[in-house]
């Protein structure tokens, strides 16, 4: 499903793990007493960095879950089939067995179409550790598909499928076959370097996601390519002249519909190509582009397959979409359009409106790119719109009884899980109470007297229905229990004797009525109304309102109990979803869709304006068996054993780049290992200097199987120092080893914060390569061995349109002690404290930031910097002007966005995302003596920043143009340009 792009994955992984690419230990600045510059080390680092980026940016699709820590108590197992290894833990073994037959079945259908079989068995990782559905696919270094065991349906988008697990796997396995395809000249690269070059990964995102969505639609019953609610977004873009550009469809944008653009536009575009030119060309395109050089890029591949450029085909498709959308509009407006009162004008996702106790207040859930998701309350007369609370909330039920608001939201549970739970909030006092903990409960509904509650519960891929007293006693499961059943959005009848609930079962989703006393369950109507969702009783119990796409456009309908009739309540161009009736029974609130997203709308409840509709009666019972054939699991499973990380941890590729030491440039090889569960990870760079008869290497290993996280670093590297005031160049050999353990804790004080505590031991041996006789000042050589302890905390928050963190606080404290008792030749102690605070301002995304860093070192004298004294980099002053064993730096900055161009070139290959300005005032100083001797220096300036997304998301770069002026002695005016990842 949603996949982060390649470079984001690898560098996010590096950032979280603490790895500093390309190969040298982070923070090491090899400078001597002369305090001059980095010398030739700069050149070798640039060479390594450029080659590293060119290779990694072209190939990596590391899964986003790589930084997720599994519960250490989970004991992983593996089921092996002819083409797959399904990794799971015993609690979900039934799903793993089912997955084995689904995987082989889907492979038998899709592999012949792509004319490709991966050279390794595909690892499938199943986990039920979150209540949010998703899947991820990676092809480097191993073919791996990760699936969350949570149904993909929701209140906003009920989904048509025969089996959600097959549906999701079809999407992800399409990714794997597509991305894994390597043809022509690139087969030689794969033979030489292994699994590190996959040209199809360098495709516009609407091709990658569009193809997977096309296959889920056409090769697994249902799919978003036939989803009326999904396609309504495309129709409204066309009708509102708000078509997103091909560049915007190629990457993720902050503007609506955000990450959905590549799926929505992509599947429609490929459906068009399939209908006009034949489906076989979609797979031919994968093969042609799999030989990237031969095809001369994406346009060359399209020209080769279709005889037209991508741009011409895109324009032809766009014209067809506009024509079809206009024709559909003409059909819709033949009946009177609903003209609601629009209460909000914000767009994005404003969902699940719920009337308050008074007839003027509406509560709703807001999710957008400007703030955290939250519950808000708006007065429909005064338009006063206030935040009630925030949290991870999307489209679950809101319920209000006796001035108490009931809702569900996601949170970290037991440090390793992300589950939903039920909460109540007193609307007058704002007091919040948690009603369930780790129960995976959502969609609450409360009886009129406030004594009973019903909700859905997610587990092992099912959403079941539960009923209890409000205090949790008398827990009872309602409804069906068969495999795959899903319940959504239950609602009590006015007399609290019945429930209306949306129920998905194989064959479709319908509104069902459940008798609370007997538990009897029956369909609201036997008429075929397509997908039915979000039921709501009128206060008099006469009608059940709900939404359905019976007419081809999602609208609100009403079911009348007495007559068993169905009425169409709204007639809209976009969508009308999630109705709720005011307590006085006079008005209906709902979520109304336009090309800017969903807003809250209100209409009168007037049955006289409704239109009776008749739908086809179902004459045959709904089958509980998938409409597609299936393989027997006992026939496809060939082995079962405890999970073994070694086969996937073994490196599958390597790449060369240059390493520079005292004897010049050398070829260095680099590789990465990552096991299927992303619990073990390592990088290894190494080479050999035949002249010096000395190896050089850097090894970085992480193990996340346990708590604590374990990290091992080993290295043997040569460093160049400018020495004796740059009159000489001194080369030093550093052998390095460190072992650390990190304990982490999520949701310490809030649902979005995190803390880490790290302790470890490191040993460094410094020896000279250059003869010491030529040096006037002798370097400090020998062993530096000691203990280190670190602590970090962060509750920083940023949003879609943010240009930096917008609020919150981060703190890092680090202590290091080298002593002779720990094997060191020197006694040195280092302290480092760093903190940052961000403040929102009244202007959206304008941020005030304050940061401070202080370091303190004392002990034996040490010539080289970085061990007991540091150089302070202060903008507006020459590098190395300020140094000492005691240093401090403070900064105040004001950041504000200039523009969000979100446009690019080369079908989005070069994409300008956002432009912002930072104005700053810095103050810092250092001293080799006492703290009171610190000579403070100040500077001020401004920086203009442009964030670009290149290589269709593979290569994000921030370009910085800055001006700084040092105010005090030694200061200078600087104009500088930086490129950062």
């Amino acid at each position: 499903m949603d996949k982060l792009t390649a470079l984001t994955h690898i560098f996010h992984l590096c950032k979280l793990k603490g790895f500093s690419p390309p190969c040298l230990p982070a923070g090491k600045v090899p400078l001597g007493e002369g305090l001059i510059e980095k010398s030739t080390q700069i050149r070798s680092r640039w060479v390594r960095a450029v080659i590293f980026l060119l290779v990694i940016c072209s190939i990596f699709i590391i899964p986003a879950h790589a930084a997720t820590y599994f519960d250490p108590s989970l004991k992983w197992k593996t089921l092996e089939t002819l083409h797959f290894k399904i990794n799971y833990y015993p609690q979900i073994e039934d799903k793993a067995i089912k997955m084995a037959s689904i995987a082989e079945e889907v492979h038998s259908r899709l592999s012949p179409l792509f004319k490709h079989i991966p050279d390794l068995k595909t690892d499938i990782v199943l986990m039920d550790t979150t209540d949010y559905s998703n899947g991820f696919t990676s092809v480097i270094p191993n073919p791996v598909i990760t699936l969350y065991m949570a149904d993909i349906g929701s209140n906003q988008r009920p989904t048509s499928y025969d089996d959600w697990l097959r549906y999701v796997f079809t999407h992800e396995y399409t990714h794997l076959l597509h991305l894994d395809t390597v043809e022509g000249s690139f087969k030689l690269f794969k033979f030489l370097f292994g699994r590190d070059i996959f040209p199809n990964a360098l495709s516009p995102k609407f091709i990658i996601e569009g193809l997977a969505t096309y296959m889920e639609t056409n090769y697994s019953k249902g799919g978003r390519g036939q989803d009326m609610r999904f396609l309504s977004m495309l129709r409204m873009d066309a009708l509102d002249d708000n078509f997103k550009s091909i560049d915007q469809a190629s990457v993720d944008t902050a503007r609506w519909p955000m990450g959905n653009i590549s799926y929505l536009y992509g599947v429609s575009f490929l459906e068009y190509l399939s209908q006009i030119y034949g489906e076989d060309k979609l797979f031919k395109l994968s093969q042609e582009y799999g030989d990237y050089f031969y095809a001369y890029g994406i346009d060359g591949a399209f020209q080769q397959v279709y005889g037209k450029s991508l741009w011409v085909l895109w324009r032809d498709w766009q014209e067809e979409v506009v024509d079809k959308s206009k024709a559909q509009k003409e059909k819709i407006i033949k009946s009177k359009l609903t003209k609601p009162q629009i209460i909000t004008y914000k767009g994005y996702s404003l969902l699940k409106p719920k009337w308050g106790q008074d007839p003027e207040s509406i509560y709703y859930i807001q999710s957008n790119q400007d703030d955290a998701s939250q519950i808000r309350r708006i007065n429909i007369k005064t338009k006063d719109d206030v935040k009630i609370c925030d949290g991870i909330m999307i489209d679950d039920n809101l319920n209000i009884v006796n001035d108490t608001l009931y809702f569900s939201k996601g949170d970290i549970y037991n440090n390793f899980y992300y589950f939903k739970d039920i909460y109540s909030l007193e609307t007058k006092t704002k007091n919040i109470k948690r009603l369930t903990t780790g129960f995976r409960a959502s969609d609450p509904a409360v009886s009129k007297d406030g004594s009973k509650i019903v909700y859905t519960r997610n587990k092992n891929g099912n959403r079941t229905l539960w009923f209890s007293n409000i205090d949790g006693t008398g827990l009872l499961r309602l409804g069906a229990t068969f495999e795959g059943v899903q319940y959504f959005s239950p609602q009590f009848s006015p007399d609290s004797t019945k429930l209306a609930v949306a129920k998905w079962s194989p064959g479709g989703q319908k509104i069902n009525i459940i008798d609370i006393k007997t538990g009897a369950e029956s369909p609201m109507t036997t008429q075929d109304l397509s997908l039915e969702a979000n039921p709501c009783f009128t206060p008099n119990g006469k009608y059940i309102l709900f939404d359905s796409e019976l007419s081809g456009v999602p609208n609100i309908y009403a079911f009348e109990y007495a007559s068993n009739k169905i009425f169409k309540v709204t007639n809209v161009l976009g969508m009308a979803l999630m109705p709720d009736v005011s307590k006085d029974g006079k008005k209906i609130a709902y979520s109304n869709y336009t090309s800017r997203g969903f807003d809250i709308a209100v209409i009168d409840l007037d049955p006289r304006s409704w239109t009776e509709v008749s739908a086809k009666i179902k004459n045959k019972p709904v089958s509980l068996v998938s409409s597609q054939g299936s393989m027997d699991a006992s026939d496809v499973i060939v082995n079962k054993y405890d999970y073994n990380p070694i086969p996937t941890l073994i490196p599958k590729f390597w790449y060369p780049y240059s390493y520079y030491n005292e004897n010049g440039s050398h070829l260095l090889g680099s590789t990465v290992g990552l096991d299927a569960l992303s619990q073990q990870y390592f990088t290894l760079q190494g080479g050999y200097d035949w002249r010096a008869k000395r190896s050089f290497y850097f090894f970085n290993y992480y193990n996340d199987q346990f708590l604590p996280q374990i990290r091992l670093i080993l290295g043997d590297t040569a460093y160049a120092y400018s020495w004796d005031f740059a009159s000489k160049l001194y080369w030093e050999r550093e052998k390095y080893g460190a072992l650390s353990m990190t304990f982490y804790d999520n949701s310490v004080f809030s649902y979005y914060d995190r803390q880490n505590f790290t302790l470890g031991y490191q040993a460094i041996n410094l020896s000279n390569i250059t003869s010491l006789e030529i040096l006037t000042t002798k370097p400090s050589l020998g062993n530096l061995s000691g203990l280190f302890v670190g602590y970090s905390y962060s509750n920083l928050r940023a949003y879609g349109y943010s240009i930096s963190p917008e609020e919150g606080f981060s703190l890092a404290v680090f202590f290091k002690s080298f002593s002779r008792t720990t094997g060191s030749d020197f006694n040195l102690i280092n302290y480092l404290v760093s903190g940052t605070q961000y403040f929102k301002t009244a202007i959206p995304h304008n941020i005030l930031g304050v940061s401070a860093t202080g370091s303190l070192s004392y002990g034996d004298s040490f010539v080289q910097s970085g061990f007991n004294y540091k150089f302070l980099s202060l903008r507006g002053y020459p590098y190395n002007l300020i140094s000492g064993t005691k240093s401090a730096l403070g900064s105040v900055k004001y950041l504000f966005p200039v523009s969000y161009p979100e446009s690019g070139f080369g079908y989005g290959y070069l994409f300008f995302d956002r432009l912002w300005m930072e104005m700053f005032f810095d103050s810092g100083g250092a001293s080799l003596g006492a703290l009171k001797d610190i000579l403070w220096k100040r500077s001020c300036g401004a920086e203009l920043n442009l964030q670009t997304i290149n290589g269709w998301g593979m290569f994000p770069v921030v370009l910085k143009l800055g001006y700084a002026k040092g105010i005090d002695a030694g200061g200078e005016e600087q104009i500088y340009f930086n490129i950062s990842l």
Side-chain angles (χ1 to χ4, degrees):
M1 308 294 281
D2 297 326
K3 290 194 305 85
L4 298 181
T5 50
L7 192 70
T8 304
H9 288 145
I10 183 62
F11 278 93
H12 182 59
L13 180 64
C14 292
K15 181 180 178 182
L16 288 170
K17 304 278 190 180
F19 171 51
S20 179
C23 79
L24 296 179
K28 180 68 173 175
V29 181
L31 297 170
E33 190 179 34
L35 296 67
I36 308 298
E37 56 182 339
K38 298 181 182 178
S39 186
T40 54
Q41 188 65 31
I42 295 177
R43 180 173 58 182
S44 62
R45 283 187 176 183
W46 267 109
V47 171
R48 286 194 296 271
V50 169
I51 297 177
F52 177 86
L53 291 176
L54 287 177
V55 175
I56 294 300
C57 294
S58 300
I59 60 174
F60 260 86
I61 300 184
I62 297 293
H65 72 279
T68 299
Y69 307 117
F70 291 120
D71 186 341
S73 68
L74 298 177
K75 307 302 180 185
W76 291 85
K77 306 285 185 180
T78 301
L79 294 179
E80 191 168 356
T81 71
L82 182 62
H83 299 99
F84 300 93
K85 291 185 291 182
I86 296 96
N87 305 294
Y88 66 98
Y89 44 92
Q91 294 90 324
I92 56 173
E93 185 170 46
D94 58 332
K95 283 292 189 292
I97 294 172
K98 179 180 179 180
M99 186 74 256
S101 60
I102 289 175
E104 288 294 345
E105 174 199 330
V106 172
H107 171 82
S108 69
R109 293 162 62 92
L110 269 56
S111 181
L113 298 173
F114 283 91
K115 297 180 181 180
H116 179 69
I117 298 176
D119 55 352
L120 298 174
K121 287 190 177 184
T122 299
D123 277 89
I124 302 172
V125 179
L126 303 181
M127 55 182 180
D128 192 27
T129 59
T130 177
D131 284 337
Y132 296 92
S133 179
N134 215 331
F136 302 97
T137 298
S138 62
V139 293
I140 300 175
N142 307 286
V144 179
I145 294 174
T146 301
L147 300 177
Y148 298 148
M149 295 290 96
D151 170 69
I152 59 175
S154 68
N155 290 323
Q156 179 185 347
R157 192 182 298 158
T159 305
S160 176
Y161 51 79
D162 58 347
D163 184 287
W164 70 266
L165 194 55
R166 178 183 288 104
Y167 172 101
V168 174
F169 183 74
T170 299
H171 183 106
E172 295 304 327
Y173 196 55
T174 297
H175 279 321
L176 194 134
L177 292 175
H178 177 214
L179 300 178
D180 196 71
T181 298
V182 176
E183 299 289 344
S185 56
F186 266 96
K187 286 186 176 180
L188 176 61
F189 283 90
K190 187 175 181 181
F191 175 78
L192 293 174
F193 299 108
R195 295 182 53 84
D196 64 345
I197 299 179
F198 294 90
N200 276 309
L202 272 175
S203 299
K205 191 177 180 184
F206 68 83
I207 297 293
I208 295 176
E209 295 300 348
L211 183 58
T213 309
Y214 174 90
M215 297 301 289
E216 90 188 22
T217 301
N218 292 280
Y219 289 86
S220 178
K221 183 181 177 182
R224 282 167 286 186
Q226 298 174 358
D227 185 339
M228 300 300 179
R229 299 172 191 240
F230 195 63
L231 296 178
S232 289
M233 296 191 291
L234 183 62
R235 179 177 65 254
M236 293 309 296
D237 277 1
L239 294 179
D240 289 352
D241 194 24
N242 193 24
F243 238 108
K244 308 306 182 294
S245 70
I246 193 171
D247 305 309
Q248 292 164 346
S250 299
V251 298
D252 286 328
T253 65
R255 70 183 64 188
W256 181 264
M258 305 172 300
N260 280 314
I261 299 176
S262 57
Y263 297 81
L264 175 64
Y265 285 40
V267 67
S268 179
F269 177 59
L270 296 189
E271 287 279 7
Y272 167 79
L273 294 182
S274 177
Q275 293 169 9
I276 302 299
Y277 299 97
E279 183 185 71
D280 61 304
K281 284 186 167 55
L282 298 180
F283 309 114
K284 180 66 173 175
L285 181 66
S286 174
Q287 295 156 11
E288 289 295 329
Y289 198 58
D291 183 8
Y292 184 86
F293 286 158
Y294 172 74
Y296 300 103
I298 191 68
D299 247 341
F302 270 89
Q303 194 73 44
Q304 184 76 15
V305 175
Y306 292 99
K308 295 182 179 180
S309 69
L310 173 55
W311 168 249
V312 171
L313 292 167
W314 184 271
R315 183 195 60 198
D316 293 345
W317 160 74
Q318 193 171 13
E319 290 175 354
E320 181 177 271
V321 170
V322 171
D323 290 343
K324 286 185 175 180
S325 298
K326 288 181 177 179
Q328 191 173 8
K329 176 182 178 180
E330 291 301 316
K331 184 178 179 180
I332 293 170
I333 63 178
K334 287 181 180 179
S335 300
K336 184 179 180 181
L337 283 177
T338 301
K339 295 183 179 180
Q341 176 189 4
I342 304 299
I343 305 302
T344 61
Y345 287 90
K346 295 185 284 187
Y348 285 87
S349 293
L350 275 59
L351 303 172
K352 274 295 180 180
K354 191 70 179 180
W355 290 93
Q357 292 297 113
D358 64 84
E360 296 181 359
S361 295
I362 298 175
Y363 293 80
Y364 64 93
I365 298 173
Q366 172 182 289
S367 299
N368 59 28
Q369 298 288 281
D370 292 310
D371 209 338
S373 56
Q374 57 194 252
I375 298 174
R376 301 184 67 87
R377 182 183 63 221
I378 187 169
N379 186 290
I380 64 174
K381 288 188 176 180
T382 65
K383 299 300 188 296
D384 288 339
D385 194 356
V386 297
K387 174 182 172 181
I388 302 300
C389 66
D390 65 23
I392 306 300
M393 297 172 282
I394 304 175
D395 63 354
D396 288 342
N397 271 356
L398 298 180
N399 213 252
I400 299 175
V401 176
N402 300 328
D403 292 320
T404 300
L405 172 68
Y406 297 88
F407 61 97
S408 57
K409 67 174 182 175
D411 201 352
I412 298 292
Y413 174 71
N414 279 356
N415 208 31
F416 302 102
Y417 302 89
Y418 207 93
F419 291 160
K420 292 182 182 180
D421 275 300
I422 307 294
Y423 297 78
S424 66
L425 181 147
E426 299 297 327
T427 57
K428 294 181 179 179
T429 64
K430 298 293 183 70
N431 290 330
I432 295 179
K433 180 180 179 182
R434 187 168 188 162
L435 302 184
T436 66
T437 302
F439 204 62
R440 311 187 69 176
S442 60
D443 264 353
V446 177
S447 60
K448 187 175 182 178
D449 63 1
S451 64
K452 309 292 183 182
I453 186 171
V454 64
Y455 48 82
T456 63
R457 185 184 182 192
N458 180 56
K459 187 178 182 181
N460 203 13
N462 288 7
R463 282 174 61 112
T464 51
L465 193 63
W466 294 79
F467 173 86
S468 74
N469 296 319
I470 199 68
D471 62 3
T473 61
L475 186 63
L476 176 68
R477 180 170 172 173
L478 299 175
T481 60
F482 58 81
E483 166 69 17
V485 67
Q486 313 290 337
Y487 284 96
F488 299 91
S489 197
Q491 295 291 340
F492 275 99
S493 62
D495 60 6
S496 299
T497 62
K498 294 184 290 292
L499 288 175
V501 62
K503 175 188 175 183
W504 181 93
S505 59
Q509 180 168 304
K510 294 185 66 64
I511 305 298
N512 277 22
I513 307 299
I514 298 178
D515 187 288
I516 296 293
K517 184 176 293 187
T518 65
E521 180 178 7
S522 60
M524 177 183 67
T525 176
T526 57
Q527 297 187 69
D528 186 359
L529 303 178
S530 187
L531 295 174
E532 306 165 20
N534 300 296
C536 166
F537 285 93
T538 56
N540 58 12
K542 185 176 180 179
Y543 299 99
I544 297 178
L545 272 59
F546 60 98
D547 56 64
S548 169
E549 58 263 27
L550 175 62
S551 66
V553 175
N555 271 290
I556 295 170
Y557 293 82
F559 170 75
E560 186 178 38
Y561 259 106
S563 65
N564 200 33
K565 293 180 178 179
I566 303 293
F567 298 91
K568 188 177 182 182
V569 177
T570 63
N571 183 46
V572 299
L573 291 174
M575 286 183 274
L577 306 178
M578 304 178 178
D580 188 60
V581 181
S582 59
K583 307 296 183 184
D584 60 8
K586 294 181 178 180
K587 293 186 179 296
I588 302 171
Y590 65 91
S591 289
N592 183 71
Y593 188 83
T594 66
S595 62
R596 67 172 178 263
F598 291 94
D599 278 293
I600 305 302
V602 172
I603 58 174
D604 292 333
L605 194 158
D606 182 11
R608 295 172 300 176
S609 66
W610 301 349
T611 303
E612 184 179 353
V613 297
S614 60
K616 184 168 54 179
I617 303 295
K618 289 187 176 180
N619 295 318
K620 59 181 180 180
V622 174
S623 172
L624 299 183
V625 181
S626 168
S627 62
Q628 301 185 18
S630 60
M631 299 180 178
D632 193 298
S634 61
D635 294 333
V636 301
I637 296 174
V638 298
N639 205 357
K640 177 182 177 180
Y641 47 85
D642 291 339
Y643 170 73
N644 180 7
I646 294 178
T648 49
L649 189 62
I650 294 174
K652 304 300 189 302
F653 70 89
W654 74 282
Y655 55 91
Y657 60 89
S658 175
Y659 170 83
Y660 195 88
N661 70 1
E662 78 278 8
N663 293 319
S665 183
H666 306 272
L667 179 68
L668 184 147
S670 181
T671 190
V672 172
L674 178 70
D675 82 309
L677 299 183
S678 299
Q679 290 184 317
Q680 297 189 62
Y681 168 78
F682 73 85
T683 62
L684 174 63
Q685 297 92 32
Y688 193 80
D689 183 345
W690 294 98
R691 180 178 174 183
K693 296 182 180 181
R694 185 178 73 245
S695 63
F696 44 89
Y697 62 87
F698 183 75
F699 176 72
N700 200 347
Y701 170 78
Y702 294 86
N703 189 307
D704 292 335
Q705 290 175 273
F706 319 103
L707 188 63
Q709 175 195 75
I710 298 171
R711 181 184 184 185
L712 173 66
I713 302 175
L714 300 173
D716 188 345
T717 312
Y719 288 91
Y721 289 77
S722 293
W723 208 260
D724 290 338
F725 295 94
S727 62
K728 302 180 182 68
L729 187 65
Y730 168 66
W731 283 92
E732 181 177 271
R733 182 180 183 183
E734 179 178 312
K735 294 182 180 179
Y736 182 84
L739 178 66
S740 66
M741 297 183 294
T742 298
F743 299 84
Y744 47 87
D745 187 18
N746 297 293
S747 296
V748 185
F749 303 109
S750 62
Y751 67 89
Y752 52 85
D753 68 350
R754 175 187 176 93
Q755 65 180 355
N756 289 279
F757 177 76
T758 300
L759 58 90
Y761 176 84
Q762 71 176 29
I764 306 170
N765 176 263
L766 305 177
S767 60
N768 63 299
I769 296 173
T770 301
S771 171
L772 300 180
E773 294 180 359
I774 66 172
L775 304 179
T776 304
T777 304
K778 308 300 182 185
S780 300
L781 302 177
N783 295 319
L784 278 168
S785 303
L787 302 173
F788 58 88
V789 178
Y791 172 80
S792 66
Y793 172 84
S794 176
N795 64 358
L796 298 177
R797 307 180 79 178
Y799 315 107
Y801 278 116
S802 297
I803 54 177
S804 83
E806 294 201 6
E807 55 185 321
F809 173 72
S810 67
L811 172 69
V813 180
F814 191 77
F815 167 79
K816 185 187 297 183
S817 174
F818 300 108
S819 70
R820 290 179 173 82
T821 59
T822 57
S824 178
D825 294 328
F826 302 87
N827 288 318
L828 294 174
I829 292 180
N830 301 141
Y831 297 93
L832 177 68
V833 180
S834 178
T836 302
Q837 176 74 57
Y838 289 93
F839 302 91
K840 277 187 173 183
T841 67
I843 307 173
H845 309 301
N846 281 234
I847 308 131
L848 178 65
V850 180
S851 61
T853 300
S855 66
L856 172 65
S857 300
Y858 62 89
D860 294 339
S861 176
F862 204 95
V863 177
Q864 296 97 310
S865 71
F867 295 103
N868 72 326
Y869 73 94
K870 302 182 184 302
F871 295 98
L872 193 66
S873 180
L874 187 63
R875 290 173 286 194
Y877 293 86
Y879 186 72
N880 295 340
L881 179 67
I882 307 170
S883 66
T885 57
K886 303 166 185 64
S887 64
L889 174 65
S891 181
V892 178
K893 55 187 176 180
Y894 184 80
L895 303 97
F896 59 91
V898 177
S899 68
Y900 297 88
E902 291 198 328
S903 62
F905 303 95
Y907 306 127
Y909 192 86
L910 173 62
F911 191 81
F912 302 121
D913 185 42
R914 61 196 64 192
L915 184 70
W916 73 93
M917 182 71 75
E918 174 185 333
M919 297 184 294
F920 63 85
F921 174 81
D922 294 344
S923 180
S927 171
L928 291 168
L931 286 172
K932 63 182 179 61
D933 296 329
I934 291 179
L935 183 62
W936 296 97
K937 296 185 180 298
R938 299 163 296 165
S939 67
C940 61
E943 296 176 347
L944 183 65
N945 300 269
L946 173 63
Q947 179 171 304
T948 65
I949 303 173
N950 310 298
W952 297 305
M954 295 282 188
F955 192 14
V957 171
V958 175
L959 307 176
K960 184 189 298 291
L961 177 63
Y963 167 81
K965 179 178 176 57
I967 300 172
D968 298 305
E972 60 185 19
E973 291 188 271
Q974 297 175 344
I975 296 178
Y976 52 92
F977 178 76
N978 290 333
I979 300 177
S980 60
L981 299 172

